[in-house]
Amino acid sequence: MDLSSFNARSMASRMTSVASEKPWLSLSSRACCSDLLSALQPNHMAPTAAHVDATGCVRGGRFADVGPLAKVMARAPALAPLTLPLTMLMPGFVDAHHHLTQSFGKALAFGEPSEIFRRIWVPLEGSLDPHSLYLSAKLASLEALRGGYTTVCDAGARSSHGLEAMAAATREAGIRCVPSFVCNDDGTAHGATLTAAERFLAQASPGWHPSLAISIPEAATDAMLGAAAALAAEAGTVLQVHVNEHLASVERSLVARGLRPLQHLQASGALGPQSLLAHCTMLTPAEMLLLRDHGAAVSINPVASPWKGNAVAPTELLAALGVRLGLGTDGTRSDAFRMMDAAESNQRLAFGMASGDAVCGGGSLWLTMATAGGAYAAGLGRVTGRVETGLSADFLLLDLDVPELTPSWDLGWELVRLASRDQVISVHVEGRMRLWQGWPVDWDARSLMAEVRTVARQSVARAPIHKVHQRQ
């Protein structure tokens, strides 16, 4: 295969032909996954700047070398560069907050008042058997990959079978996962819960990065909050917690403890650099300083706010304070480009317009949060999130030869406001191609969807879901 003779269009034609003949054989298995060192020479290497003649070389699932073409070729003269005109090689997106086992629900949660987990998600997940959990997690993984995500952080399955199913589903789909063992407790099983958590954290493997979770601070004792945070810190992973998301939970915490949920975390010794906090949409100035001073990370979930929340997080202010930030879907819709657009739009509507801030972070803030920021928030800053020598080759090839980006003046901002997942040519995780033009190259997605259509209806029918809003 003469890679040097390929351009973006001939690559598409040749790849489609190869994939149809032998689904297990793709260009990535020749150029990115083998022991042979090959090169990709896109016009753009990073999401915020154009580097003509920049080159990324992939070997053993990692970026073996990144830099100007001439320098890379001088270091490895045997390379045969694959030139991709008007194509961007960019980091895969990181979903800093997901619920992989909720993909059967979708529009069941639309139009519902806050705290839908009590009325919809807990009943639904409780009705899923191991195979249904596997199907749900694999469907969610497929959606994520199609939306440009190469990493997802799952905030905890509400089923004893969920983690095994999730491991199989994400491994087969080919997406990097930060799963979490839920440490909720009422004080009666403290030791057993921590022992099980330790066993789970020891199960790390390539593409599988175990973490811990407590659904909300009130779902565990103070002793468990502190112990889980300490265990996560010792293991070098994160503790995922939903914090200050809904007015109901904030007021319930104030009545029960005299503390807001974030203050509750801090008082129990559970707030620190290992904290990955979801939402944080209802913060006082003092709480923003708590986040900064304790080094906690926050997953901003921009679609969750208008769909099922009570407020919009003050993202630009948190960024200015130096709080570590990522972007999450919260299981709403797995389209990274629409997610960035929603994040910027939320910020402008909720804060920017009133203050005359027409920039609201520009494109760079949201792109960074969606890639490197999310990786650092999830504890994977040394693993993924950037096109950089030594990091995992988790990347997208993005078609820039589209009307929406013609002419191009500010690629960073254009990716946030104008780009779409339809431009994603291929998705690669650990150097291996997982999707080509929106579909898996080594497993049958349409068969999965056909089975889901049947199983999901059965699961929902037996779940004691309580919907407040009934379809008109």
Side-chain angles (χ1 to χ4, degrees), residues 84 105-106 140 164 167 192 211 234 239 273 313 316 348 361 411 414:
L84 303 175
K106 290 191 170 69
E164 294 85 355
S211 71
E234 181 182 355
L239 173 65
E316 197 176 6
R348 182 156 168 72
L411 185 57
E414 289 158 0

Side-chain angles (χ1 to χ4, degrees), residues 45-63:
M45 287 296 298
T48 57
H51 301 288
V52 177
D53 291 335
T55 300
C57 305
V58 179
R59 179 172 54 192
R62 295 185 176 275
F63 288 112

Side-chain angles (χ1 to χ4, degrees), residues 160-179:
S160 59
H161 307 293
L163 291 169
E164 294 85 355
M166 190 181 302
T170 56
R171 182 174 60 251
E172 292 174 16
I175 196 166
R176 187 179 303 281
C177 185
V178 181

